[in-house]
Amino acid sequence: MFSAVYMVTFSETASDTAREELKSTLKDLADKITPVNIAGDVLPYAYGGGDWFLELGFENQDGYETAKSSAQWSEIQTPLANTATVDHFEFVAYGEGTLNITSDTAACHRVLIFEVVEDADPDAIAKMERIMPDMCNYIPGLLNCKLAKVVESSGTMNWGYAFECDFDDPTTFLTNYNYRPYHWANVDKFFEPACSEWVADPNLCTPYIAAEEAFLLNFSE
Amino acid sequence: MERNKISRRAFIKGAAAGTASAALLTLLPKNVLAEEAEEPETQAAESETDALDREIYCIDRFVTNPGEGKEFLQYFMDGYLEKAQSYGMTLKSTMISPPVWLDNAENTIEIVWSIAGFNGWAAMVNASRYDSETLAWWREIRSKVVSQDRSFYALEQDMEVINNV
């Protein structure tokens, strides 16, 4: 699956009505662009990633490029540019990457995006690409995941990677996912400036939303 | 899932945790924390707390430039020991290999810190990772040595507990 993700932060002064109208407008446009999409309010205590999340899925990058040339895609940009409602938004587009599927159901979807620090060790990046998708095999409740290089982005950082996850429940993201040593003693080294494997700038975004399906299953073999 | 269907305990513990959410502990409303503290601990919660409190170890390993071992260690400790203690890290030992300061060859220095479990690790991350001075410090340190590594360890006897939280 090739994904295009919007992480929207509303203006503080935007009314509830304006927020709901924006969400409805963008979701309707997403439905017209591709039936494979997921949207929702970002759940509490997410770090970065704003207030509302929208992901559009395509079979491949060609499908994404075709969608980008559509009228509906252009229409998405108009309400996002309305500063009375939208403070800012992050956008990333990324492809297949390394996908690990262990379940065909899920109740939570999450996308982490981060910028690669300029002096990151290429060996550390290669190691990260190798072991992050293995997290599903060590963390109960993390059902499916994918690490992919970002091919197009805009927003507050030069986003380099997306790590996409399906969880069995939103609480898993805040509990087991963090508690397990495979995360804090292994994968987290890529996020820790004191470690020689440091790859990711700390100014990352990691919104998560409630889901009714395992979104990563779309277009998977 | 609606927000109110997610247990507050999970969010509070989760907010103390991990790569991305560690930074958020300080943002939690105090009244939520206080309210949470009044909830009775279940047996499962006690077990989880025990697992998250098991001591873990952080080992910094440096291979110094030839002849610079002693000077580097002094520089590192002068600049980092106090910070590390403020992050909740306790200095357990400093070891040198070979145990003689070499004039024309590399020394290896291993510094062992203890941390009060996962919760201590999350607090350490919360206190240090988002500090631009800390980021610059580690870049500078890496420029002063041949190689550097930080890894996290647990006692073998705690492996089962911490991997079943």
Side-chain angles (χ1 to χ4, degrees), chain A residues 41-48 51 107 110 112 117-120 138 140 169-171 173-189 191-198 201-206 208 210-211, chain B residues 1-3 5-15 17-21 23-24 27-29 32 48 52 56 60 80 118-119 121 124-125 128-130 134-135 138-139 142 148-154 159 162-165:
Chain A
D41 290 326
V42 174
L43 293 171
Y45 307 126
Y47 183 64
D51 304 306
R110 172 256 192 156
L112 159 71
V117 293
E118 59 184 351
D119 52 352
Y138 292 90
D169 187 274
T171 56
F173 171 55
L174 295 179
T175 56
N176 273 356
Y177 177 71
N178 291 301
Y179 295 166
R180 292 282 171 145
Y182 191 85
H183 186 172
W184 56 257
N186 200 24
V187 169
D188 192 72
K189 294 180 82 175
F191 297 82
E192 172 52 58
C195 294
S196 57
E197 297 96 328
W198 181 36
D201 190 287
N203 295 309
L204 46 78
C205 291
T206 176
Y208 69 115
Chain B
M1 174 178 285
E2 296 170 14
R3 292 184 181 199
K5 289 184 179 174
I6 302 168
S7 87
R8 285 171 293 117
R9 178 185 301 283
F11 273 126
I12 285 168
K13 290 188 173 174
T19 301
S21 48
L24 301 175
L27 301 179
L28 287 173
V32 174
E48 182 179 278
L52 299 179
I56 57 179
D60 284 322
Y80 192 67
F118 170 84
N119 290 324
W121 175 88
M124 176 192 72
V125 168
S128 63
R129 185 168 298 177
Y130 307 92
T134 303
L135 269 58
W138 283 107
R139 279 199 165 106
R142 275 193 277 278
Q148 173 263 341
D149 176 66
R150 166 172 286 192
S151 291
F152 295 91
Y153 298 76
M159 293 276 282
I162 66 172
N163 278 288
N164 286 289
V165 63

Side-chain angles (χ1 to χ4, degrees), chain B residues 63-71 101-107 144-146:
Chain B
V63 177
T64 67
N65 288 316
E68 296 180 5
K70 186 175 183 179
E71 179 188 355
W101 294 121
L102 300 173
D103 293 329
N104 299 304
E106 301 161 348
N107 279 108
K144 288 180 174 291
V145 294
V146 174

Side-chain angles (χ1 to χ4, degrees), chain A residues 48-71:
Chain A
D51 304 306
W52 192 71
F53 175 97
L54 171 64
E55 178 171 355
L56 301 92
F58 306 93
E59 184 168 11
N60 50 41
Q61 188 164 359
D62 286 345
Y64 163 68
E65 298 294 346
T66 301
K68 266 180 37 177
S69 62
S70 68

Side-chain angles (χ1 to χ4, degrees), chain B residues 13-163:
Chain B
K13 290 188 173 174
T19 301
S21 48
L24 301 175
L25 182 61
T26 53
L27 301 179
L28 287 173
K30 286 183 179 176
N31 60 338
V32 174
L33 288 167
E35 186 182 348
E36 189 67 21
E38 290 170 5
E39 287 190 357
E41 289 276 339
T42 64
Q43 190 171 358
E46 287 172 1
S47 172
E48 182 179 278
T49 299
D50 177 48
L52 299 179
D53 286 341
R54 295 290 174 106
E55 193 161 59
I56 57 179
Y57 299 88
C58 166
I59 299 183
D60 284 322
R61 183 174 186 273
F62 305 98
V63 177
T64 67
N65 288 316
E68 296 180 5
K70 186 175 183 179
E71 179 188 355
F72 171 78
L73 179 59
Q74 186 67 52
Y75 184 83
F76 180 79
M77 286 303 190
D78 285 349
Y80 192 67
L81 178 59
E82 196 171 319
K83 279 185 183 174
Q85 290 168 337
S86 74
Y87 301 153
M89 304 166 74
T90 301
L91 180 62
K92 303 296 284 188
S93 66
T94 302
M95 292 180 285
I96 316 298
S97 178
V100 52
W101 294 121
L102 300 173
D103 293 329
N104 299 304
E106 301 161 348
N107 279 108
T108 298
I109 300 172
E110 286 198 354
I111 303 171
V112 180
W113 313 90
S114 66
I115 299 168
F118 170 84
N119 290 324
W121 175 88
M124 176 192 72
V125 168
N126 194 26
S128 63
R129 185 168 298 177
Y130 307 92
D131 174 7
S132 59
E133 285 186 14
T134 303
L135 269 58
W137 163 260
W138 283 107
R139 279 199 165 106
E140 181 195 1
I141 286 299
R142 275 193 277 278
S143 75
K144 288 180 174 291
V145 294
V146 174
S147 67
Q148 173 263 341
D149 176 66
R150 166 172 286 192
S151 291
F152 295 91
Y153 298 76
L155 298 177
E156 190 275 339
Q157 66 209 42
D158 290 337
M159 293 276 282
E160 186 172 346
V161 172
I162 66 172
N163 278 288

